[in-house]
Amino acid sequence: MSNEQLVEQIRNGNHVTENMQRLYENNLPLLRKFIKPYIHLESEEDLLQEAFFGLYEAVQHYESSENVLFMTYAYYWIRQSVVKYVENCGSIIRRPSGFKQKMNRYNKSVQEFMQEYGKTPTDWEMAEVL
């Protein structure tokens, strides 16, 4: 049974638990690929569980009339669920998601500066770069 057929079965209420389990197991290698960038932040089991929750959300929102494969559509929901989990549970101190993106951008700028000039930038130099 294809992913799209399983989704239709789940949305129609036919053996929801069994069909969700089958959908999860059929796509487990792809789910592992989706969570791979986050493995170093949390345990694989926790991330796979969050991926399951994202998969369930994707089932709830999927529209088969859009001519998009289910797993292509589900990637967005799975990624959202995993990222939200990592952001909320990945640190003792909760930081807004935008703050983490700014930190990554800053660290990347520092690395580029160090490669270009061969020294650690001062605060004034980083202010000019940013």
Side-chain angles (χ1 to χ4, degrees):
M1 196 179 285
S2 74
N3 290 335
E4 289 76 16
Q5 292 170 336
L6 284 170
V7 169
E8 286 302 317
Q9 290 290 320
I10 293 167
R11 292 189 70 177
N12 291 335
N14 298 333
H15 307 287
V16 174
T17 306
E18 295 87 12
N19 285 329
M20 273 303 295
Q21 185 67 26
R22 189 179 306 153
L23 184 65
Y24 176 76
E25 289 171 359
N26 288 350
N27 295 294
L28 193 56
L30 191 57
L31 293 174
R32 282 199 168 101
K33 184 178 178 182
F34 290 166
I35 67 168
K36 189 175 181 180
Y38 309 102
I39 291 290
H40 67 282
L41 299 171
E42 289 293 326
S43 70
E44 184 177 6
E45 295 81 23
D46 290 343
L47 294 175
L48 283 172
Q49 184 176 18
E50 286 302 315
F52 181 85
F53 296 145
L55 190 64
Y56 183 75
E57 282 297 315
V59 166
Q60 300 305 313
H61 295 94
Y62 180 68
E63 294 293 330
S64 59
S65 63
E66 297 294 324
N67 294 327
V68 176
L69 293 176
F70 174 71
M71 285 311 290
T72 303
Y73 179 79
Y75 172 71
Y76 168 80
W77 292 98
I78 293 167
R79 190 175 143 280
Q80 289 294 105
S81 179
V82 170
V83 167
K84 186 176 180 182
Y85 173 76
V86 168
E87 287 175 353
N88 288 335
C89 299
S91 175
I92 295 173
I93 300 171
R94 165 106 172 55
R95 297 183 193 113
S97 60
F99 184 75
K100 185 171 182 176
Q101 293 170 354
K102 287 179 183 179
M103 284 176 39
N104 290 338
R105 200 170 347 158
Y106 174 80
N107 290 334
K108 184 178 177 183
S109 297
V110 168
Q111 290 297 325
E112 290 172 355
F113 186 92
M114 289 177 68
Q115 286 179 351
E116 187 173 334
Y117 297 105
K119 65 174 188 154
T120 304
T122 64
D123 292 339
W124 289 104
E125 290 169 334
M126 278 313 297
E128 288 178 15
V129 169
L130 295 174

